[in-house]
Amino acid sequence: MRKRRTEFLNEYVANQYPIEKFKELIFITLDIVENFLLTLENGYNYNSTSIASYEEKYGSSQRNTNSKIESIIIKNMRDEERMSQFLNCYFIAYNTLNEDEKDIFDATFIDRLTDQEIIDKYKTYSKHITQVKKSAVIKFCLRSGLDKFVDVIK
């Protein structure tokens, strides 16, 4: 049996996926996770309308297209058990990433560092950061089921 050369997805495979849409889905998911954590921690329903991406645009009869996913998930997650299930799904998907992928995932999506800041922090090179980031994004989205929402993102 042939041994893999690297733990990360190769560029040919990674380029088959809509990486930019997956990234946007991850940012949306992190907002939802934060919202649910606040709700469950405080024991009351957190007012999500204070978060800009959840608000409807004023003066328009159409909803903000960026909030469709939040609307779908939050509307169906009114009780604590469902919120906990969503959070478990998030953490299971996160834990499927290897250590390098977790580091780059955290730096990109949680700390919101630029690629250059990540390169400086981890003392590596751009091609490696790109490969690890793509691998982490794809693995996370597929494992968490976010790939089903790609068509919602414009």
Side-chain angles (χ1 to χ4, degrees):
M1 184 176 208
R2 193 175 114 182
K3 187 175 181 178
R4 289 188 66 169
R5 290 180 288 168
T6 179
E7 304 173 46
F8 313 112
L9 297 175
N10 71 32
E11 192 170 338
Y12 177 77
V13 172
N15 289 335
Q16 304 296 314
Y17 293 94
I19 300 294
E20 292 306 314
K21 288 184 178 184
F22 278 1
K23 287 179 184 178
E24 192 170 338
L25 285 168
I26 291 171
F27 282 120
I28 291 168
T29 300
L30 290 173
D31 285 343
I32 293 169
V33 166
E34 184 178 357
N35 186 4
F36 286 175
L37 288 172
L38 288 169
T39 300
L40 293 174
E41 181 179 302
N42 293 327
Y44 64 90
N45 288 329
Y46 182 71
N47 183 1
S48 62
T49 58
S50 64
I51 300 173
S53 63
Y54 294 13
E55 292 179 351
E56 291 185 26
K57 291 190 176 196
Y58 294 107
S60 173
S61 61
Q62 294 181 331
R63 290 186 59 94
N64 180 355
T65 56
N66 291 337
S67 67
K68 285 181 184 177
I69 295 168
E70 293 102 324
S71 297
I72 292 167
I73 293 173
I74 291 175
K75 201 180 293 179
N76 295 326
M77 303 279 181
R78 294 286 182 208
D79 61 37
E80 290 184 9
E81 183 179 340
R82 288 188 178 168
M83 288 182 193
S84 295
Q85 288 173 349
F86 180 85
L87 291 172
N88 285 337
C89 180
Y90 166 79
F91 289 114
I92 288 170
Y94 179 78
N95 286 328
T96 61
L97 304 177
N98 65 40
E99 290 304 314
D100 287 342
E101 289 169 336
K102 284 180 184 177
D103 289 342
I104 301 303
F105 186 91
D106 291 345
T108 303
F109 297 106
I110 296 172
D111 301 335
R112 296 190 183 217
L113 300 177
T114 64
D115 283 352
Q116 188 58 49
E117 291 171 329
I118 295 170
I119 290 168
D120 294 342
K121 181 177 181 177
Y122 293 104
K123 311 245 184 293
T124 188
Y125 51 97
S126 179
K127 187 174 180 182
H128 178 70
I129 295 297
T130 302
Q131 181 185 24
V132 174
K133 187 185 297 184
K134 283 182 179 180
S135 181
V137 165
I138 292 167
K139 287 180 184 179
F140 180 84
C141 286
L142 294 178
R143 182 67 173 133
S144 64
L146 291 176
D147 56 316
K148 296 175 207 150
F149 296 105
V150 168
D151 295 334
V152 177
I153 301 293
K154 295 200 186 230

